Amino acid sequence: KPGEQKHPKEPSSLQCMHLAVVACGDRLEETLIMLKSAVLFSNRRLCFHIFAEDSLKPEFEKKLKEWPSSYTKKFESNIYPITFSVGNAQEWKKLFKPCAAQRLFLPVILKDVDSLLYVDTDVLFLRPIEDIWHLLREFNSTQLAAMAPEHEIPKIGWYSRFARHPYYGPTGVNSGVMLMNLTRIRSTHFKNSLIPGGLTWEEMLYPLYQKYRNYITWGDQDLLNIIFYFNPECLYVFPCQWNYRPDHCMYGSNCRGAEEEGVSILHGNRGVYHDAKQPTFKALYEVIRDFPFEDNLFQSLYYPLQSKFLDTVHTLCGRIPQVFLKQIEKTMKKVYENRVIVYLGANHRY
């Protein structure tokens, strides 16, 4: 009708599941293996937002183009420089690991993105991203981010024993896997320990850092814990199988969700993919790294994994191989079934 406003067609970027990662220093390979695990198992379109040092940008572009077209058509990627919108860039850059504080600025930089999954470079997906993406629907009206607890048991948790600053809940939260509703983050005024009224996310970051800088150990993760300590109603806590770390098995198995459902997202923090301390984590990393894209998943991924796991049964985490294998086995069956259905459907037309 004349004068009626037409709604523009939703751009393809909004139909994406947005995945962000920050890569600096020697994290190129680790980041590529993480992205590979995301593409291997997901059926929906992905939008990668890679924040990287300038020297890494051409390498990322080159490596991602080398992937077979059957996989590259499943995602689009954007590579951004490292930037901090408030405060001193050099201070932010040195906070904890190089560039890690970049994640705090995602709501400010990615202005057109509604929701986002942020992960550390040392994360591996063992099931489709859409499964964690669906948790966004479970947020109530005040929740705007989701993370897993830093530990399941307060008496052996880091924050509950050593933190010198406020933190969320009984054990704090781990920010290595963080689901964010950026639209809500941008429009919320957060309670804080700085001024009686609320502050926006961007207004709050630098003053908060200045106030607690001498008390924080884990950099940006500590700042997120402080923010959600003052705004607990804003956080959705998801269970440990969505951010499964060596801490969950090296002191005995203490992630019930992983025992029941299997590990959904593996987080090999403290460099365990690259040393001999946790062979189970290293085995998963190496098998996904070495998997030739177009090969059979069971033959070239699952069976090598099983045989590598046999060598780790003497270790604390290796004693519970089913925890690591359950979800990945389920996922591969699904991927295989989908391919068979697509293949049969394509042949059926002729």
Side-chain angles (χ1 to χ4, degrees), residues 41-101:
F41 300 133
S42 284
N43 300 309
R44 272 184 58 191
R45 187 162 180 74
L46 294 161
C47 283
F48 296 152
H49 300 276
I50 303 164
F51 290 81
E53 286 173 309
D54 296 342
S55 58
L56 294 179
K57 186 181 177 184
E59 278 298 298
F60 271 115
E61 287 171 342
K62 177 174 167 272
K63 297 282 187 194
L64 289 171
K65 278 187 188 131
E66 287 170 3
W67 291 3
S69 62
S70 56
Y71 288 93
T72 56
K73 70 183 183 195
K74 289 168 74 173
F75 68 88
E76 56 189 69
S77 59
N78 296 293
I79 303 171
Y80 309 81
I82 303 294
T83 49
F84 303 100
S85 62
V86 291
N88 180 318
Q90 284 313 308
E91 274 185 280
W92 283 123
K93 214 165 180 182
K94 288 186 201 135
L95 181 66
F96 192 46
K97 287 181 185 156
C99 312

Short mmCIF file of all heavy atoms in Angstrom, two decimals, residues 41-101:
data_model
loop_
_atom_site.label_atom_id
_atom_site.label_comp_id
_atom_site.label_asym_id
_atom_site.label_seq_id
_atom_site.Cartn_x
_atom_site.Cartn_y
_atom_site.Cartn_z
N PHE A 41 30.80 -30.12 12.95
CA PHE A 41 29.61 -30.70 13.55
C PHE A 41 28.34 -29.88 13.40
O PHE A 41 27.26 -30.35 13.73
CB PHE A 41 29.87 -30.98 15.04
CG PHE A 41 31.00 -31.92 15.28
CD1 PHE A 41 31.97 -31.64 16.23
CD2 PHE A 41 31.12 -33.09 14.55
CE1 PHE A 41 33.03 -32.52 16.46
CE2 PHE A 41 32.17 -33.98 14.76
CZ PHE A 41 33.13 -33.69 15.71
N SER A 42 28.44 -28.64 12.94
CA SER A 42 27.23 -27.80 12.90
C SER A 42 26.52 -27.91 11.56
O SER A 42 27.15 -28.05 10.52
CB SER A 42 27.59 -26.35 13.20
OG SER A 42 27.80 -26.23 14.58
N ASN A 43 25.20 -27.79 11.62
CA ASN A 43 24.40 -27.86 10.39
C ASN A 43 23.92 -26.48 9.95
O ASN A 43 23.56 -26.29 8.82
CB ASN A 43 23.18 -28.77 10.63
CG ASN A 43 23.61 -30.17 11.00
OD1 ASN A 43 24.42 -30.77 10.31
ND2 ASN A 43 23.12 -30.69 12.11
N ARG A 44 23.91 -25.53 10.90
CA ARG A 44 23.46 -24.18 10.56
C ARG A 44 24.62 -23.29 10.15
O ARG A 44 25.77 -23.57 10.49
CB ARG A 44 22.73 -23.56 11.75
CG ARG A 44 21.25 -23.89 11.79
CD ARG A 44 20.56 -23.19 12.92
NE ARG A 44 20.71 -21.74 12.87
CZ ARG A 44 20.38 -20.93 13.87
NH1 ARG A 44 19.89 -21.42 14.99
NH2 ARG A 44 20.55 -19.62 13.76
N ARG A 45 24.31 -22.20 9.47
CA ARG A 45 25.34 -21.28 9.00
C ARG A 45 26.03 -20.58 10.18
O ARG A 45 25.39 -20.21 11.16
CB ARG A 45 24.69 -20.24 8.09
CG ARG A 45 25.69 -19.34 7.41
CD ARG A 45 25.09 -18.64 6.21
NE ARG A 45 26.07 -17.79 5.57
CZ ARG A 45 27.08 -18.22 4.84
NH1 ARG A 45 27.24 -19.51 4.66
NH2 ARG A 45 27.93 -17.39 4.28
N LEU A 46 27.34 -20.39 10.05
CA LEU A 46 28.13 -19.75 11.11
C LEU A 46 28.74 -18.45 10.61
O LEU A 46 29.13 -18.35 9.45
CB LEU A 46 29.26 -20.69 11.54
CG LEU A 46 28.84 -21.99 12.21
CD1 LEU A 46 29.96 -23.02 12.16
CD2 LEU A 46 28.45 -21.74 13.66
N CYS A 47 28.82 -17.47 11.48
CA CYS A 47 29.56 -16.24 11.19
C CYS A 47 30.70 -16.15 12.20
O CYS A 47 30.45 -16.03 13.40
CB CYS A 47 28.66 -15.01 11.34
SG CYS A 47 27.57 -14.78 9.96
N PHE A 48 31.93 -16.23 11.69
CA PHE A 48 33.10 -16.14 12.57
C PHE A 48 33.54 -14.68 12.70
O PHE A 48 33.68 -13.98 11.68
CB PHE A 48 34.26 -16.95 12.00
CG PHE A 48 34.03 -18.43 11.91
CD1 PHE A 48 34.66 -19.20 10.94
CD2 PHE A 48 33.18 -19.08 12.81
CE1 PHE A 48 34.46 -20.58 10.85
CE2 PHE A 48 32.97 -20.46 12.74
CZ PHE A 48 33.62 -21.20 11.75
N HIS A 49 33.78 -14.25 13.91
CA HIS A 49 34.35 -12.92 14.17
C HIS A 49 35.70 -13.17 14.85
O HIS A 49 35.74 -13.50 16.04
CB HIS A 49 33.42 -12.10 15.07
CG HIS A 49 32.06 -11.90 14.48
ND1 HIS A 49 31.77 -10.89 13.59
CD2 HIS A 49 30.91 -12.60 14.63
CE1 HIS A 49 30.50 -10.98 13.22
NE2 HIS A 49 29.95 -12.01 13.83
N ILE A 50 36.77 -13.02 14.07
CA ILE A 50 38.11 -13.33 14.57
C ILE A 50 38.85 -12.02 14.84
O ILE A 50 39.07 -11.22 13.91
CB ILE A 50 38.88 -14.17 13.53
CG1 ILE A 50 38.11 -15.46 13.20
CG2 ILE A 50 40.28 -14.49 14.03
CD1 ILE A 50 38.58 -16.17 11.93
N PHE A 51 39.19 -11.80 16.10
CA PHE A 51 39.97 -10.61 16.47
C PHE A 51 41.42 -11.05 16.59
O PHE A 51 41.74 -11.92 17.41
CB PHE A 51 39.46 -10.04 17.80
CG PHE A 51 38.09 -9.43 17.66
CD1 PHE A 51 36.95 -10.22 17.66
CD2 PHE A 51 37.94 -8.05 17.48
CE1 PHE A 51 35.69 -9.67 17.50
CE2 PHE A 51 36.68 -7.49 17.33
CZ PHE A 51 35.55 -8.29 17.33
N ALA A 52 42.29 -10.49 15.73
CA ALA A 52 43.66 -10.99 15.68
C ALA A 52 44.66 -9.86 15.49
O ALA A 52 44.33 -8.81 14.94
CB ALA A 52 43.79 -11.98 14.52
N GLU A 53 45.88 -10.13 15.93
CA GLU A 53 46.97 -9.19 15.66
C GLU A 53 47.16 -9.09 14.15
O GLU A 53 46.93 -10.06 13.43
CB GLU A 53 48.25 -9.72 16.31
CG GLU A 53 48.26 -9.57 17.81
CD GLU A 53 49.46 -10.25 18.44
OE1 GLU A 53 49.71 -11.43 18.14
OE2 GLU A 53 50.14 -9.60 19.24
N ASP A 54 47.63 -7.94 13.71
CA ASP A 54 47.78 -7.70 12.27
C ASP A 54 48.62 -8.78 11.58
O ASP A 54 48.31 -9.19 10.46
CB ASP A 54 48.42 -6.32 12.02
CG ASP A 54 47.52 -5.20 12.52
OD1 ASP A 54 46.32 -5.47 12.72
OD2 ASP A 54 48.01 -4.06 12.71
N SER A 55 49.65 -9.25 12.28
CA SER A 55 50.55 -10.24 11.65
C SER A 55 49.85 -11.57 11.38
O SER A 55 50.28 -12.35 10.52
CB SER A 55 51.77 -10.47 12.54
OG SER A 55 51.34 -10.92 13.82
N LEU A 56 48.77 -11.85 12.11
CA LEU A 56 48.08 -13.14 11.94
C LEU A 56 46.99 -13.10 10.87
O LEU A 56 46.55 -14.14 10.38
CB LEU A 56 47.45 -13.58 13.28
CG LEU A 56 48.41 -13.92 14.42
CD1 LEU A 56 47.63 -14.32 15.66
CD2 LEU A 56 49.38 -15.03 14.04
N LYS A 57 46.54 -11.90 10.51
CA LYS A 57 45.39 -11.78 9.59
C LYS A 57 45.61 -12.52 8.26
O LYS A 57 44.78 -13.34 7.86
CB LYS A 57 45.07 -10.31 9.35
CG LYS A 57 43.81 -10.13 8.53
CD LYS A 57 43.46 -8.70 8.23
CE LYS A 57 42.21 -8.69 7.34
NZ LYS A 57 41.82 -7.38 6.90
N PRO A 58 46.73 -12.28 7.54
CA PRO A 58 46.91 -13.00 6.26
C PRO A 58 46.94 -14.51 6.44
O PRO A 58 46.46 -15.25 5.58
CB PRO A 58 48.24 -12.47 5.72
CG PRO A 58 48.88 -11.68 6.81
CD PRO A 58 47.81 -11.32 7.79
N GLU A 59 47.49 -14.98 7.57
CA GLU A 59 47.56 -16.43 7.82
C GLU A 59 46.16 -17.01 7.99
O GLU A 59 45.84 -18.07 7.44
CB GLU A 59 48.39 -16.71 9.08
CG GLU A 59 49.88 -16.72 8.84
CD GLU A 59 50.30 -17.83 7.88
OE1 GLU A 59 50.10 -19.01 8.18
OE2 GLU A 59 50.81 -17.50 6.79
N PHE A 60 45.33 -16.33 8.75
CA PHE A 60 43.95 -16.80 8.93
C PHE A 60 43.23 -16.87 7.58
O PHE A 60 42.58 -17.86 7.26
CB PHE A 60 43.17 -15.87 9.88
CG PHE A 60 43.27 -16.25 11.32
CD1 PHE A 60 43.90 -15.41 12.24
CD2 PHE A 60 42.75 -17.45 11.79
CE1 PHE A 60 44.00 -15.76 13.59
CE2 PHE A 60 42.84 -17.82 13.12
CZ PHE A 60 43.48 -16.97 14.02
N GLU A 61 43.36 -15.80 6.80
CA GLU A 61 42.67 -15.77 5.50
C GLU A 61 43.13 -16.92 4.61
O GLU A 61 42.32 -17.61 3.99
CB GLU A 61 42.93 -14.41 4.82
CG GLU A 61 42.13 -13.29 5.50
CD GLU A 61 42.51 -11.90 5.01
OE1 GLU A 61 43.59 -11.74 4.40
OE2 GLU A 61 41.71 -10.97 5.26
N LYS A 62 44.44 -17.13 4.57
CA LYS A 62 45.02 -18.18 3.73
C LYS A 62 44.53 -19.56 4.17
O LYS A 62 44.05 -20.37 3.37
CB LYS A 62 46.54 -18.08 3.82
CG LYS A 62 47.31 -19.14 3.05
CD LYS A 62 48.82 -18.84 3.09
CE LYS A 62 49.64 -20.01 2.63
NZ LYS A 62 49.98 -20.96 3.70
N LYS A 63 44.63 -19.85 5.47
CA LYS A 63 44.28 -21.19 5.98
C LYS A 63 42.79 -21.49 5.80
O LYS A 63 42.42 -22.61 5.43
CB LYS A 63 44.65 -21.32 7.46
CG LYS A 63 46.14 -21.19 7.74
CD LYS A 63 46.86 -22.47 7.41
CE LYS A 63 48.31 -22.41 7.84
NZ LYS A 63 49.10 -23.49 7.23
N LEU A 64 41.94 -20.51 6.08
CA LEU A 64 40.50 -20.76 5.96
C LEU A 64 40.10 -21.02 4.51
O LEU A 64 39.19 -21.79 4.23
CB LEU A 64 39.70 -19.59 6.55
CG LEU A 64 39.75 -19.45 8.08
CD1 LEU A 64 39.11 -18.14 8.53
CD2 LEU A 64 39.07 -20.62 8.78
N LYS A 65 40.80 -20.38 3.58
CA LYS A 65 40.51 -20.60 2.14
C LYS A 65 40.93 -21.98 1.69
O LYS A 65 40.45 -22.48 0.67
CB LYS A 65 41.23 -19.54 1.29
CG LYS A 65 40.48 -18.22 1.22
CD LYS A 65 41.14 -17.26 0.24
CE LYS A 65 40.50 -15.90 0.34
NZ LYS A 65 41.49 -14.82 0.47
N GLU A 66 41.84 -22.59 2.41
CA GLU A 66 42.34 -23.93 2.01
C GLU A 66 41.35 -25.04 2.36
O GLU A 66 41.48 -26.16 1.89
CB GLU A 66 43.68 -24.21 2.71
CG GLU A 66 44.84 -23.41 2.13
CD GLU A 66 46.10 -23.51 2.99
OE1 GLU A 66 46.09 -24.26 4.01
OE2 GLU A 66 47.11 -22.86 2.65
N TRP A 67 40.37 -24.74 3.21
CA TRP A 67 39.39 -25.75 3.57
C TRP A 67 38.52 -26.09 2.35
O TRP A 67 38.26 -25.22 1.51
CB TRP A 67 38.49 -25.25 4.71
CG TRP A 67 39.20 -25.11 6.03
CD1 TRP A 67 40.52 -25.33 6.28
CD2 TRP A 67 38.61 -24.72 7.27
NE1 TRP A 67 40.80 -25.09 7.60
CE2 TRP A 67 39.65 -24.72 8.24
CE3 TRP A 67 37.33 -24.37 7.67
CZ2 TRP A 67 39.43 -24.38 9.57
CZ3 TRP A 67 37.10 -24.03 9.00
CH2 TRP A 67 38.14 -24.05 9.93
N PRO A 68 38.05 -27.34 2.23
CA PRO A 68 37.23 -27.70 1.08
C PRO A 68 35.92 -26.91 1.02
O PRO A 68 35.38 -26.50 2.06
CB PRO A 68 36.96 -29.20 1.26
CG PRO A 68 37.40 -29.53 2.63
CD PRO A 68 38.30 -28.46 3.13
N SER A 69 35.41 -26.71 -0.19
CA SER A 69 34.23 -25.85 -0.38
C SER A 69 33.00 -26.38 0.36
O SER A 69 32.13 -25.62 0.77
CB SER A 69 33.92 -25.69 -1.86
OG SER A 69 33.62 -26.95 -2.42
N SER A 70 32.93 -27.70 0.54
CA SER A 70 31.77 -28.26 1.26
C SER A 70 31.71 -27.71 2.68
O SER A 70 30.66 -27.70 3.32
CB SER A 70 31.82 -29.78 1.27
OG SER A 70 33.04 -30.21 1.83
N TYR A 71 32.86 -27.27 3.21
CA TYR A 71 32.90 -26.68 4.55
C TYR A 71 32.91 -25.16 4.51
O TYR A 71 32.24 -24.52 5.32
CB TYR A 71 34.12 -27.21 5.33
CG TYR A 71 33.95 -28.65 5.73
CD1 TYR A 71 34.43 -29.68 4.93
CD2 TYR A 71 33.26 -28.99 6.89
CE1 TYR A 71 34.24 -31.01 5.28
CE2 TYR A 71 33.06 -30.32 7.25
CZ TYR A 71 33.55 -31.33 6.44
OH TYR A 71 33.35 -32.64 6.79
N THR A 72 33.65 -24.56 3.56
CA THR A 72 33.72 -23.09 3.53
C THR A 72 32.36 -22.47 3.23
O THR A 72 32.09 -21.35 3.64
CB THR A 72 34.76 -22.57 2.50
OG1 THR A 72 34.45 -23.11 1.22
CG2 THR A 72 36.17 -22.94 2.90
N LYS A 73 31.48 -23.21 2.56
CA LYS A 73 30.16 -22.64 2.28
C LYS A 73 29.27 -22.60 3.53
O LYS A 73 28.21 -21.98 3.53
CB LYS A 73 29.47 -23.40 1.14
CG LYS A 73 29.03 -24.80 1.49
CD LYS A 73 28.41 -25.51 0.29
CE LYS A 73 27.92 -26.88 0.70
NZ LYS A 73 27.64 -27.74 -0.45
N LYS A 74 29.73 -23.25 4.61
CA LYS A 74 28.94 -23.26 5.84
C LYS A 74 29.18 -22.04 6.73
O LYS A 74 28.53 -21.85 7.74
CB LYS A 74 29.26 -24.52 6.66
CG LYS A 74 28.70 -25.80 6.03
CD LYS A 74 29.26 -27.05 6.69
CE LYS A 74 28.69 -27.32 8.07
NZ LYS A 74 29.14 -28.63 8.60
N PHE A 75 30.19 -21.21 6.37
CA PHE A 75 30.48 -20.06 7.24
C PHE A 75 30.94 -18.85 6.44
O PHE A 75 31.35 -18.96 5.29
CB PHE A 75 31.56 -20.43 8.28
CG PHE A 75 32.93 -20.67 7.69
CD1 PHE A 75 33.83 -19.62 7.52
CD2 PHE A 75 33.34 -21.95 7.33
CE1 PHE A 75 35.08 -19.83 6.97
CE2 PHE A 75 34.60 -22.18 6.79
CZ PHE A 75 35.48 -21.11 6.61
N GLU A 76 30.83 -17.69 7.09
CA GLU A 76 31.51 -16.50 6.58
C GLU A 76 32.40 -16.00 7.70
O GLU A 76 32.08 -16.21 8.88
CB GLU A 76 30.51 -15.43 6.13
CG GLU A 76 29.53 -14.98 7.17
CD GLU A 76 28.43 -14.08 6.59
OE1 GLU A 76 27.58 -14.59 5.82
OE2 GLU A 76 28.42 -12.89 6.92
N SER A 77 33.53 -15.39 7.35
CA SER A 77 34.43 -14.95 8.42
C SER A 77 34.82 -13.49 8.25
O SER A 77 34.98 -13.00 7.13
CB SER A 77 35.68 -15.83 8.45
OG SER A 77 36.36 -15.76 7.22
N ASN A 78 34.92 -12.81 9.39
CA ASN A 78 35.41 -11.43 9.42
C ASN A 78 36.59 -11.40 10.37
O ASN A 78 36.52 -11.96 11.47
CB ASN A 78 34.31 -10.49 9.96
CG ASN A 78 33.12 -10.46 9.02
OD1 ASN A 78 33.21 -9.97 7.92
ND2 ASN A 78 32.00 -11.02 9.46
N ILE A 79 37.65 -10.72 9.95
CA ILE A 79 38.84 -10.61 10.80
C ILE A 79 39.03 -9.14 11.16
O ILE A 79 38.99 -8.27 10.30
CB ILE A 79 40.09 -11.18 10.09
CG1 ILE A 79 39.82 -12.65 9.70
CG2 ILE A 79 41.31 -11.09 10.98
CD1 ILE A 79 40.86 -13.29 8.82
N TYR A 80 39.17 -8.89 12.46
CA TYR A 80 39.23 -7.51 12.97
C TYR A 80 40.57 -7.28 13.67
O TYR A 80 41.13 -8.21 14.26
CB TYR A 80 38.14 -7.27 14.02
CG TYR A 80 36.75 -7.66 13.61
CD1 TYR A 80 36.33 -8.99 13.67
CD2 TYR A 80 35.83 -6.70 13.16
CE1 TYR A 80 35.04 -9.36 13.31
CE2 TYR A 80 34.53 -7.07 12.80
CZ TYR A 80 34.15 -8.39 12.88
OH TYR A 80 32.87 -8.76 12.52
N PRO A 81 41.04 -6.03 13.66
CA PRO A 81 42.24 -5.72 14.46
C PRO A 81 41.88 -5.67 15.94
O PRO A 81 40.71 -5.59 16.30
CB PRO A 81 42.65 -4.33 13.95
CG PRO A 81 41.38 -3.72 13.44
CD PRO A 81 40.52 -4.85 12.95
N ILE A 82 42.86 -5.72 16.79
CA ILE A 82 42.65 -5.60 18.24
C ILE A 82 42.45 -4.13 18.58
O ILE A 82 43.31 -3.30 18.27
CB ILE A 82 43.87 -6.17 19.01
CG1 ILE A 82 44.13 -7.64 18.62
CG2 ILE A 82 43.70 -6.01 20.51
CD1 ILE A 82 43.07 -8.64 19.01
N THR A 83 41.29 -3.79 19.16
CA THR A 83 41.03 -2.38 19.53
C THR A 83 40.30 -2.31 20.87
O THR A 83 39.48 -3.17 21.18
CB THR A 83 40.14 -1.67 18.48
OG1 THR A 83 39.00 -2.51 18.20
CG2 THR A 83 40.88 -1.37 17.20
N PHE A 84 40.61 -1.26 21.63
CA PHE A 84 39.96 -1.05 22.93
C PHE A 84 39.37 0.36 22.91
O PHE A 84 40.08 1.33 22.70
CB PHE A 84 40.97 -1.20 24.07
CG PHE A 84 41.66 -2.54 24.06
CD1 PHE A 84 42.95 -2.67 23.54
CD2 PHE A 84 41.03 -3.67 24.54
CE1 PHE A 84 43.58 -3.91 23.51
CE2 PHE A 84 41.65 -4.91 24.51
CZ PHE A 84 42.93 -5.03 23.99
N SER A 85 38.05 0.46 23.13
CA SER A 85 37.38 1.75 22.92
C SER A 85 37.53 2.71 24.09
O SER A 85 37.33 3.90 23.93
CB SER A 85 35.89 1.52 22.63
OG SER A 85 35.27 0.90 23.74
N VAL A 86 37.87 2.21 25.27
CA VAL A 86 38.03 3.12 26.42
C VAL A 86 39.31 2.76 27.18
O VAL A 86 39.76 1.62 27.15
CB VAL A 86 36.83 3.04 27.40
CG1 VAL A 86 35.59 3.63 26.78
CG2 VAL A 86 36.56 1.61 27.87
N GLY A 87 39.89 3.75 27.85
CA GLY A 87 41.06 3.48 28.69
C GLY A 87 42.34 3.36 27.87
O GLY A 87 42.38 3.72 26.69
N ASN A 88 43.35 2.79 28.49
CA ASN A 88 44.67 2.70 27.89
C ASN A 88 44.84 1.36 27.17
O ASN A 88 44.83 0.30 27.79
CB ASN A 88 45.71 2.85 29.03
CG ASN A 88 47.12 2.78 28.52
OD1 ASN A 88 47.46 1.96 27.69
ND2 ASN A 88 47.97 3.64 29.07
N ALA A 89 45.02 1.42 25.85
CA ALA A 89 45.09 0.19 25.05
C ALA A 89 46.22 -0.72 25.50
O ALA A 89 46.06 -1.95 25.55
CB ALA A 89 45.25 0.54 23.58
N GLN A 90 47.38 -0.14 25.84
CA GLN A 90 48.52 -0.98 26.26
C GLN A 90 48.22 -1.72 27.57
O GLN A 90 48.58 -2.88 27.74
CB GLN A 90 49.78 -0.11 26.43
CG GLN A 90 50.42 0.29 25.10
CD GLN A 90 50.56 -0.88 24.12
OE1 GLN A 90 51.09 -1.93 24.46
NE2 GLN A 90 50.03 -0.72 22.91
N GLU A 91 47.52 -1.03 28.48
CA GLU A 91 47.14 -1.68 29.75
C GLU A 91 46.20 -2.85 29.48
O GLU A 91 46.35 -3.94 30.03
CB GLU A 91 46.44 -0.67 30.67
CG GLU A 91 47.37 0.16 31.52
CD GLU A 91 46.56 1.03 32.47
OE1 GLU A 91 46.06 2.09 32.03
OE2 GLU A 91 46.41 0.64 33.63
N TRP A 92 45.19 -2.60 28.65
CA TRP A 92 44.22 -3.66 28.32
C TRP A 92 44.94 -4.84 27.67
O TRP A 92 44.65 -5.99 27.93
CB TRP A 92 43.14 -3.14 27.39
CG TRP A 92 42.08 -2.29 28.01
CD1 TRP A 92 41.75 -1.01 27.65
CD2 TRP A 92 41.18 -2.64 29.08
NE1 TRP A 92 40.71 -0.55 28.43
CE2 TRP A 92 40.34 -1.53 29.31
CE3 TRP A 92 41.00 -3.79 29.86
CZ2 TRP A 92 39.34 -1.52 30.28
CZ3 TRP A 92 40.00 -3.78 30.83
CH2 TRP A 92 39.19 -2.66 31.04
N LYS A 93 45.88 -4.51 26.77
CA LYS A 93 46.56 -5.56 26.02
C LYS A 93 47.35 -6.48 26.93
O LYS A 93 47.49 -7.67 26.69
CB LYS A 93 47.48 -4.92 24.98
CG LYS A 93 47.57 -5.75 23.73
CD LYS A 93 48.17 -5.00 22.57
CE LYS A 93 48.20 -5.96 21.38
NZ LYS A 93 48.77 -5.44 20.20
N LYS A 94 47.90 -5.89 28.01
CA LYS A 94 48.76 -6.69 28.91
C LYS A 94 47.97 -7.39 30.01
O LYS A 94 48.53 -8.14 30.80
CB LYS A 94 49.80 -5.78 29.55
CG LYS A 94 50.88 -5.33 28.57
CD LYS A 94 51.94 -4.54 29.33
CE LYS A 94 52.73 -3.65 28.38
NZ LYS A 94 52.90 -2.30 28.92
N LEU A 95 46.69 -7.11 30.10
CA LEU A 95 45.89 -7.68 31.18
C LEU A 95 45.74 -9.19 30.97
O LEU A 95 45.16 -9.64 29.98
CB LEU A 95 44.51 -7.01 31.18
CG LEU A 95 43.50 -7.45 32.24
CD1 LEU A 95 43.99 -7.08 33.63
CD2 LEU A 95 42.15 -6.82 31.99
N PHE A 96 46.29 -9.98 31.88
CA PHE A 96 46.28 -11.44 31.80
C PHE A 96 47.00 -11.89 30.53
O PHE A 96 48.14 -11.55 30.30
CB PHE A 96 44.85 -12.00 31.92
CG PHE A 96 44.79 -13.48 32.14
CD1 PHE A 96 45.61 -14.09 33.07
CD2 PHE A 96 43.93 -14.28 31.41
CE1 PHE A 96 45.58 -15.47 33.27
CE2 PHE A 96 43.88 -15.65 31.61
CZ PHE A 96 44.72 -16.24 32.54
N LYS A 97 46.34 -12.63 29.61
CA LYS A 97 47.02 -13.10 28.40
C LYS A 97 46.93 -12.01 27.33
O LYS A 97 45.98 -11.23 27.33
CB LYS A 97 46.36 -14.38 27.91
CG LYS A 97 46.71 -15.54 28.82
CD LYS A 97 46.08 -16.80 28.33
CE LYS A 97 46.35 -17.93 29.31
NZ LYS A 97 45.38 -18.99 29.23
N PRO A 98 47.86 -11.98 26.36
CA PRO A 98 47.84 -10.94 25.35
C PRO A 98 46.47 -10.84 24.68
O PRO A 98 45.92 -11.85 24.23
CB PRO A 98 48.89 -11.39 24.33
CG PRO A 98 49.76 -12.33 25.06
CD PRO A 98 48.95 -12.94 26.16
N CYS A 99 45.91 -9.66 24.68
CA CYS A 99 44.66 -9.35 23.96
C CYS A 99 43.40 -9.95 24.55
O CYS A 99 42.31 -9.72 24.02
CB CYS A 99 44.72 -9.79 22.49
SG CYS A 99 46.18 -9.30 21.65
N ALA A 100 43.49 -10.76 25.60
CA ALA A 100 42.29 -11.44 26.11
C ALA A 100 41.20 -10.44 26.49
O ALA A 100 40.01 -10.73 26.36
CB ALA A 100 42.65 -12.30 27.32
N ALA A 101 41.59 -9.25 26.95
CA ALA A 101 40.59 -8.25 27.38
C ALA A 101 39.73 -7.77 26.21
O ALA A 101 38.69 -7.14 26.44
CB ALA A 101 41.29 -7.06 28.03
#
